[in-house]
Amino acid sequence: MSITVAIDGPAAAGKGTISKAVAAHFGFAHLDTGLLYRAVGAKTLAGFEAIAAAQSLQAEDLDASNLRSAEVAQAASKVAVIAEVRAALVDFQRAFAQRSGGAVLDGRDIGTVICPEAQVKLFVTASAEVRAERRYLELAAKDGDVTRADVLADVKARDARDMTRAEAPLKPAEDAVLIDTTDLDIAAAIAAAVRQVSSAI
Ligand code: CDP
């Protein structure tokens, strides 16, 4: 049986860290679906049209060095509202979810749209301030000019865009288990996710 673990949540909630750790713990493959949208967003910043960029996305586009920047994050959430962009990325995500040996996918709409049949659905969240502080520390390590205020504004703008869009808005699936990491350290958040997967398999 192929096990799919769907992990959704708002910006910088800790989905990536938790997903990687869950995948390593169970020997599952991991797909950071945000990277697909970031790669399309980066292409639009380079002058390409969003839908054509999504439809012609190549594996090497996911290796671009700038994908983690705040500018690309904003561009990603802008292309992510476009139905045709989302549609172009569905088959790849579903095929990944079906791979034998188990898969963890993290994003915004995995439990609701991409893999509504996933055996485990987690919705990872935290207060906007805590999420922005974590992202600030990540970004500041690479770019000394970044400010806390800018990162908080970026996180809030993306959350608002992601939650209010018509197509696959960010929201917990009805049967998702909520993990609020506001007061959890990384080890405790990972342990909570691992417990959920263990009890499902
Ligand atoms: O790492 P972070 O949580 O900040 O963002 P990300 O997961 O890399 O996603 C970047 C942007 O892509 C999000 O703000 C969403 O607009 C979009 N996205 C989406 O619409 N659906 C997904 N499954 C994953 C990301």
Side-chain angles (χ1 to χ4, degrees):
M1 183 172 81
S2 63
I3 296 280
T4 304
V5 180
I7 304 186
D8 292 305
K15 301 181 300 291
T17 305
I18 292 172
S19 301
K20 278 195 205 85
V22 166
H25 184 96
F26 293 98
F28 297 165
H30 170 227
L31 178 64
D32 169 2
T33 66
L35 217 49
L36 304 174
Y37 293 90
R38 285 175 182 260
V40 176
K43 289 240 162 190
T44 64
L45 294 176
F48 293 90
E49 193 275 320
I51 298 170
Q55 289 171 345
S56 62
L57 204 64
Q58 304 289 313
E60 57 263 30
D61 296 330
L62 305 181
D63 296 330
S65 59
N66 64 340
L67 296 188
R68 294 282 167 207
S69 71
E71 190 190 16
V72 169
Q74 284 295 342
S77 81
K78 288 178 186 162
V79 301
V81 307
I82 305 169
E84 292 89 340
V85 166
R86 307 198 70 84
L89 303 176
V90 166
D91 288 350
F92 176 76
Q93 295 175 82
R94 290 201 177 133
F96 192 97
Q98 291 303 317
R99 49 169 65 197
S100 60
V104 181
L105 284 81
D106 76 270
R108 301 291 187 287
D109 62 340
I110 309 303
T112 51
V113 174
I114 301 295
C115 304
E117 309 301 331
Q119 288 84 350
V120 185
K121 296 181 190 175
L122 305 178
F123 193 84
V124 180
T125 187
S127 73
E129 287 69 22
V130 163
R131 291 186 287 114
E133 179 64 17
R134 291 178 188 154
R135 182 53 50 88
Y136 167 75
L137 294 173
E138 261 171 49
L139 293 173
K142 289 182 242 162
D143 170 8
D145 290 340
V146 68
T147 70
R148 284 187 164 82
D150 283 349
V151 176
L152 180 61
D154 171 80
V155 159
K156 286 184 168 171
R158 270 198 303 135
D159 287 352
R161 204 179 288 123
D162 291 348
M163 289 189 290
T164 59
R165 68 186 176 213
E167 204 67 36
L170 167 66
K171 63 174 180 193
E174 277 176 15
D175 51 349
V177 172
L178 192 78
I179 299 180
D180 187 330
T181 69
T182 306
D183 297 314
L184 293 184
D185 63 19
I186 291 172
I190 292 170
V194 166
R195 266 198 306 278
Q196 290 301 325
V197 179
S198 293
S199 66
I201 60 180

